[in-house]
Amino acid sequence: MPDISVVVIVYNDAQRLPTAVRSALDQTLGNVEVVIADDCSTDDSYEVACSLAAAHPGRVRAIRLEENSGGCGEPRNRGIAVARGRYVMFLDSDDTLDPNACRNMLEAADRTDADLVSGLCVRVHTDSRHDKRVPWYPWLYRETRTLESVAELPDLMVFDTLSTNKCYRRSFLLEGGLAFPRGIHYEDLLFSAQAYLAARRITLIPQTIYHWNVVEKTQAKSISNRRHEINNFADRVEIHRRIDAILDRLGHDELKLRKDIKFLKHDLVLYLRDLPFLDDDYRHRFAELARGYVQDFPQAAYDELDRVHAICAYLLLREDWPNLMPAIDTLINRNKISTPLVVRDGRVYWCDEHLDDPQGRAVMDVTSLGLHAKPLDAMVLRNLLTGYEVHGGDVTLSGGIVNPLHTIAPEARLTAQLEFRARRRSLQTFHFPVQDVRHEDDVITWRADVPLERRLRPLGIVDEVWDVRLHLTVDGTRTTSRLTVGTVGLENAGLVPVRPRLTRFTADRMQAHASAKGHLALKLTQESKAARDGRALVDRHMHGRPARAAKGAYRSLRAVHRDLNSGERKIQVYRRMLRLLPVRKGTVVFESHLGRQYSDSPRAIYEELRRRGAPITPIWSHAGEKPKGFPDDVQLVRRWSWPYLRALAQAEFWIDNQGFPLRLPKRPETTYIQTWHGSALKRMGFDEPSLRVTSEQEQRVYQEALNRFDHFVVRGEHDVRTLARAYRIPDEKLLRTGYPRNDALVRAAQTPETRDPAVRELAQRLGIAPGKRVVLYAPTFRANREGRLREFEFPFDVERFADRFGEDCVLLVRAHYLNRLALPPSVAGRVIDVTDEPDVTPLMLLADALITDYSSVMFDYALLQRPILFYAYDWDEYAGDVRGTYFNLLDEAPGPVARTEEELFTAVAELDEAASRYGAQLKEFVDKYGEYDRGDAAAQIVDRFFGDAREAR
C-alpha cells in the first residue's frame, strides 16, 4: 500500500503535465503513487498520461473521464475512488509539489494521528521578471500546531479554502462520504469546509507544500478569474449557501460570522472591481444575486467593514450605480477621493442621496476618514476619462477631476500637463501641455491634444507599457492624478502609430487599455506583418544565449544591489565592518519616537547643548522620506539607511527615548543614554505576560538590546520600581535627574505669571483667541481587537462638547501618533486637531486643563499643578486585561474621574472647583511619581556627560 496517493488532474494541459507528475515522483518520500485523472481532454493530455504510466509501472496510473465535467471536482473524486494510499493529496497539472511535501505531510499525520494535515502554499508568478513568490496566508502556518476542532482557529476555514496544500486520510474521506460537488465551480470551498468540520484532528505545519503557478499576463482566464461571467458569481454564492447550511446545522455561529465578514471584504470585492467595465444587464443580475444572499447577513458582519467597503455594499444593494462607481474606484485605490462629498449638519457624507434613510445616513458618513481636512497637495483626486480619440498619430484626451467640497476655488489659477511614463522605473518620461482646463460645477474639466507619434519615442523592447498621469497646478500647488477609464470604449478608439528608437521592427502601434486598477495605460503592439516579423526576430535574439547571458548578468547585479540594501546584509555589515571604524569624538546621534519626531527629552538635551554652544556634531534620525520640524543646522539621516548605520557605529553618544534598532549592538566606546518617554501605568517589559511566554531565545535577544543602555533616566522611585525592574536595569545605570522634556513644565509652574513667547506663537498659529480657556484632550493609544491600528473614535460626543463649551473654551485633541483622527466640520474653530504637532510639551504649556484616560501624559502635566480630568469610561476593561496595571488609577487620580459622558461634561463645567479641590492631591501625585523633576534635568545630563554648567561665552 502506498503511503500517499497524489491525484493529478489534467485537462488540455499536455505540455505541463509531465512537470507536475515529476514533482510527485521525485518526492523524498519514496512510497508515493500518482493517479492522473484526465477530464476528457481534447489534446494529447491522456496520451501523455498513459506514456507516463508506462514509463513508471506500479507508480503511475492514468484514468480518463467519459465526458468533460467542466470543473476540478469530478476528476478528483475519480482519483480518490481508485487511490490506494493511506493518505491522499491533490495536484493540478500546472502546479508542482515541494520535494519534501509528502514526507513532511506523512510525518505530521502519523505523529499527531490527524485526519487532515495542511501546509504552506506559495503562489509563484511564473511570468514575473523578479521571481515573485507570495505565501498564501502565511500567518496560519508560522508554527506546527494541532487542532481538535477547526473552531479553535476560525481563520483557517475562512481563509485557506484550498484543497491542494493538504493531505487527507483516505479512510476519513471514504467513511465520511466526503466528495467534491459536481457541475459547479468553487468546489474547493465546499470540500475544504466539509473536511475541516468533519476532521477529528487537524495538524498545521510551517513547511512549504504546494507551488501554485500563476500566469497573470494571459488572455485565457482561469475559471476563478472569469468574473465577467454572471454564472461565475452565481456558483460562488451557491457554494457559500451550502456551507452556510452545514454551519447552521452544526451550530457554528462564530464560524458563520467570520465567513460572512470574509465574503463581504474579499469575495464581493473581487467582483466589484470589474463592475465599472461591464454592461447594465450584468450589473443588475449581479446586484440581484448579491442582494439575495448578503441582505440577511447579521449586522455584526457589516460592523466589521471599513467605511468604503460599507458604502459599496449599501449602494450595490440599492443599485445606485452613479454613486457606486466612484466608491469602487476608491475601494480599489484606497487614497483616492472619488466624489465631491457633501456637508450636512456639520458632518461629511459620501453623497447627497440616501441621507433620509437612517441606515444610509450612518453608512454615508465619511467624516472619520478626514477627507475634508486634507490639503490639496495631499489629495489624490479621481480624474475620470471622458474622451479618448485617435486622429492619425495624435490623441485627444478629455476628463473631469473631482473637486471635493470646492477645495479648488472658482477664481483659482489652473494649469495642467499630461505625463506619459514608462512603467518600468528609471526609463523615459514625456510631458504634454493641457490646452484647456476650467471649472464646471463640482468638476475641473480638461482637454488636451497630444502628438504622440511625433513626440513620444519609446525604446521598443523594455518599455512596452506606459502609464498616464495628469499634474494639476492650482495657484502654485500641485496635485497628481491617474486617469480612471470608466465607460470610455478604448477597444474601439483605434491604434496610435509610434516610432520606437529601436525602429518599427519592435513595435509600430500603441494600444490603450485599462490597468489592473482601472487607469488609462498604453501598450506597444505590432499591427503590420513587418512589425510582427521584426518583433519575433527581436524576441528570438532577446532569448538567445548572448541575451540570456546579458540578462543574467543584469539580474545578478540587481540581486547584489537588493542584497546590499537588505536588512540582514545591513546588520551584518554594521556588526562586522562599520563598528571597526574609529569613533568620532563629539558625535551625538539623537532619535525620538523611532525617528518620527523632533521632540521629547532628546530634543531638550540637544537644545541645552546648542544653548551652551557645546562642541558636538549632532545627527538626528528621521523616519520617512520628507522629515518635518527638524532643525536646519543638524545633519539628518534616515532610519536604517547606510548613513544612519555609519553614524551609530561611529558616534560617541546615542540619545533616544524609545530604542535604537534592537539588532544593532552598541560598541563599548559609545555611551547610550536612554531617556525613555513616560512613567508607567500599564505593565511594561518583562512584566508583560506576552513577553514572559516568548521563547528563551526571543527573551535573550530582547535582554541583549536592553543591556545596551549605559544610562536610563527616571523621574521618580515609581520608575525605579516599575520601568527599571521591568527592563532589568541595574541601579548603577539609573539617572535620577527627571525627564529633560519636563524642565519647561517645572519652570512654568514656578513662574505661572510668565508665558513663554513660543506658547503665545503656538496659540496664534492654531487660531486660538486671547482669553479663551484651552483644554487638552490626550488619550492613550487605541487598537482594534486584533491589536492593529485604527481610526481614532471619540468616546464622547465631540459635537455636543463643542456646542456646550465652545463659546468660552477650545478643545485641543491630540490622539496617539499611531491613531488617525478626523474632526467633523461642525466643530471647526472650537475643537482643533493637534496630533501632528511634533512635541506635546508646548501643548501642555498652552493648556489650562488636561483631559486624559490612562496616558502617561498625566504624570508630566501634573507638574504644572493645573486641573486634570480623567475620563475612565472603560477602566474595568483596560485594567482587567491580560497585561494589567501597576496601580489603581481610580484610587490615586489627582482630579475628577468621570465614567460617563455626562459626568465628564459636568467635570469640565466645574474646572475651577476642581483646581481648588484637588490641589493637595496633585502635589502628592507629583511627589510620588515625579520627585526628581526639578527643572534642571537637561542641565544635569549635559554637565555630567558634556562638561560643566557654565554657558559658552
Side-chain angles (χ1 to χ4, degrees), residues 463-498:
D463 55 355
E464 287 90 351
V465 181
W466 291 73
D467 293 314
V468 187
R469 292 171 174 81
L470 185 139
H471 303 295
L472 174 68
T473 303
V474 182
D475 290 335
T477 299
R478 192 170 92 161
T479 180
T480 299
S481 57
R482 300 287 295 273
L483 277 54
T484 299
V485 171
T487 57
V488 173
L490 298 179
E491 64 278 359
N492 300 320
L495 305 179
V496 184
V498 68

Side-chain angles (χ1 to χ4, degrees), residues 27 65 102 214 223 291 384 445 565 603 668 778 903:
Q27 289 291 301
L65 276 67
C102 292
V214 180
I223 291 173
R291 182 166 49 245
L384 181 63
T445 62
N565 286 279
R603 172 179 178 172
E903 290 178 0

Side-chain angles (χ1 to χ4, degrees), residues 620-649:
W620 270 90
S621 155
H622 71 88
E625 296 296 330
K626 297 180 180 179
K628 294 181 180 180
F630 288 85
D632 296 329
D633 59 345
V634 298
Q635 178 185 348
L636 297 180
V637 292
R638 185 165 54 83
R639 207 168 193 264
W640 275 111
S641 66
W642 284 112
Y644 174 80
L645 297 176
R646 179 168 180 170
L648 288 177

Side-chain angles (χ1 to χ4, degrees), residues 685-951:
F686 285 98
D687 287 345
E688 292 186 51
S690 61
L691 183 57
R692 291 202 300 268
V693 298
T694 58
S695 67
E696 290 185 10
Q697 171 64 18
E698 291 173 303
Q699 292 190 36
R700 183 164 55 251
V701 170
Y702 188 59
Q703 185 63 61
E704 288 173 356
L706 297 174
N707 290 343
R708 297 177 303 171
F709 301 161
D710 294 299
H711 304 281
F712 188 88
V713 176
V714 294
R715 56 191 304 261
E717 288 303 306
H718 170 73
D719 292 353
V720 176
R721 294 188 298 270
T722 56
L723 292 173
R725 183 177 60 82
Y727 292 120
R728 299 176 179 174
I729 299 170
D731 192 77
E732 61 270 17
K733 289 188 176 183
L734 301 181
L735 293 178
R736 290 176 166 84
T737 61
Y739 284 164
R741 73 180 187 187
N742 288 342
D743 290 348
L745 302 178
V746 175
R747 290 194 295 268
Q750 293 169 347
T751 58
E753 69 285 350
T754 304
R755 274 291 175 110
D756 189 330
V759 176
R760 290 197 297 269
E761 181 183 337
L762 174 63
Q764 292 174 355
R765 178 161 58 82
L766 295 176
I768 300 173
K772 276 208 169 187
R773 172 173 277 172
V774 178
V775 176
L776 174 63
Y777 175 47
T780 192
F781 169 69
R782 299 285 172 168
N784 60 20
R785 65 184 183 184
E786 287 83 23
R788 302 190 184 103
L789 307 185
R790 71 180 190 188
E791 297 172 7
F792 177 78
E793 298 175 1
F794 277 95
F796 58 87
D797 189 334
V798 68
E799 291 174 286
R800 184 174 169 231
F801 184 100
D803 291 341
R804 181 166 176 180
F805 302 108
E807 188 71 26
D808 306 307
C809 172
V810 173
L811 182 68
L812 305 182
V813 182
R814 184 178 179 82
H816 192 279
Y817 62 83
L818 294 177
N819 290 131
R820 298 192 307 270
L821 169 67
L823 295 172
S826 58
V827 301
R830 300 176 294 171
V831 182
I832 302 173
D833 178 12
V834 292
T835 303
D836 289 336
E837 289 293 322
D839 200 346
V840 70
T841 300
L843 296 172
M844 288 193 283
L845 292 170
L846 176 61
D848 299 298
L850 171 71
I851 301 174
T852 188
D853 44 15
Y854 324 112
S855 170
S856 64
V857 73
M858 72 175 85
F859 299 103
D860 304 318
Y861 191 82
L863 296 168
L864 290 168
Q865 293 294 297
R866 299 175 190 171
I868 304 177
L869 312 182
F870 295 87
Y871 188 30
Y873 61 96
D874 61 348
W875 169 254
D876 295 335
E877 176 185 349
Y878 184 86
D881 71 4
V882 174
R883 188 170 165 186
T885 61
Y886 285 116
F887 64 92
N888 189 325
L889 177 65
L890 303 191
D891 294 339
E892 299 190 35
V897 177
R899 303 297 296 270
T900 66
E901 178 179 298
E902 202 53 51
E903 290 178 0
L904 173 65
F905 288 2
T906 299
V908 173
E910 299 173 352
L911 268 177
D912 293 333
E913 292 86 340
S916 58
R917 188 163 67 247
Y918 287 91
Q921 288 96 317
L922 261 175
K923 188 176 184 309
E924 291 175 9
F925 192 79
V926 170
D927 291 342
K928 183 173 183 178
Y929 296 107
E931 59 198 286
Y932 301 134
D933 280 320
R934 304 184 185 94
D936 61 350
Q940 286 191 63
I941 291 173
V942 170
D943 287 345
R944 175 167 176 176
F945 298 102
F946 299 94
D948 59 35
R950 292 193 305 273
E951 297 184 9

